[in-house]
Amino acid sequence: MGSDTSPHAFRGSARESSNGARAHRVPRITTSSDVRLTLPARPENVAVIRHVLGAFAEAMHLPAGMVEDMRLAVTEACTNVVRHAYHDGVPGPIDVVVRPKGDELELIVSDHGHGMGPSPDATGPGLGLPLIAALAEKLEIQQCPSRGSRLSMTFRSRARGPA
Amino acid sequence: MTTAEPATTVSIASGPLVGPILRRVVGMLAARADLPLDRLDDAVLVADLIAARAPAHSIDDKINVALDPGDRSLLLRVGPLRQGGGQALIVDAAVPGVGNVIEQLADELSIRPEGDTEYLHVLLAYTNGR
């Protein structure tokens, strides 16, 4: 199809070495359920997504440090969608899936827009993806200009071994 | 020509997450729809009832709700539900001594069949008298 749909994976967390201690009090994620939220890709809906993630974390008794990492990463991913995915004035959907997988939590942010890439109005240094890669245990990116992009972020809740 | 925005939808697997998440989404969108505090509270109460009762009537193990915030109104579209599930959900929402809470709080309540399934529509709005 000529489009780059191969996943790009990043592993490791910048905070891994600095906050390993907090991982020891992280409960095992036991719920096998998942949550899917679809909203118009508008700035105000990023707050809704953050709020839902907060409710999820509260119900699952996730530790504050992990929740903050997740919320920051999801905010960056969703902001990317709002800013870059749809150019024709009408926001398309932003799709967020929260999926517990054993000791891990997978967060998927996807859109049906133009995929990722430089935007004419982009003036920032482009720290979003590196930040997400630093916060998440694993980051997988799939993008296709005709079908949008998909970011899969994995956050680990179990105790980590010594660095 | 205008293109409609995509709908806001939430899908939650049946279980302990339904209530907390549905309550938050409904509360935020009710606030954005500029519903006054008492009607926002009503919307959250309806969300709690849907979270508690809908799993028994859903066609699968997920609770699906589409939300449409309007001008001082919020429409909840619950489903797909199994046939008869819409009415059963309303009946299940009755509280002894209080009556049917969803019926009392909703400004409009309707059941829309769609193929072998149906959807419960609940409209919460702010009007002068309420």
Side-chain angles (χ1 to χ4, degrees), chain B residues 11-96:
Chain B
S11 173
I12 313 160
S14 294
L17 294 173
V18 177
I21 289 177
L22 191 59
R23 185 184 311 137
R24 299 278 186 112
V25 175
V26 167
M28 281 203 83
L29 293 187
R32 185 182 300 163
D34 205 19
L35 290 180
L37 191 57
D38 57 340
R39 292 302 281 156
L40 190 153
D41 203 35
D42 291 345
V44 172
L45 183 53
V46 168
D48 281 341
L49 284 165
I50 290 169
R53 308 301 188 204
H57 309 294
S58 179
I59 60 165
D60 53 22
D61 63 347
K62 290 184 185 302
I63 305 306
N64 298 287
V65 181
L67 303 101
D68 185 10
D71 182 20
R72 309 207 94 177
S73 69
L74 180 65
L75 174 65
L76 308 178
R77 184 171 177 264
V78 185
L81 304 169
R82 61 172 174 74
Q83 282 186 335
Q87 186 59 39
L89 199 166
I90 295 170
V91 171
D92 282 357
V95 175

Side-chain angles (χ1 to χ4, degrees), chain A residues 33-40 42 44-45 47-48 51-52 55-56 58-59 90-93, chain B residues 2-14 16-17 20-21 24-25 28-29 32 62:
Chain A
S33 58
D34 63 353
V35 175
R36 178 183 292 271
L37 186 62
T38 305
L39 306 117
R42 299 168 65 182
E44 60 267 35
N45 283 335
V48 177
H51 210 56
V52 167
F56 181 92
E58 199 175 285
V90 178
Chain B
T2 58
T3 307
E5 275 194 1
T8 295
T9 62
V10 59
S11 173
I12 313 160
S14 294
L17 294 173
I21 289 177
R24 299 278 186 112
V25 175
M28 281 203 83
L29 293 187
R32 185 182 300 163
K62 290 184 185 302

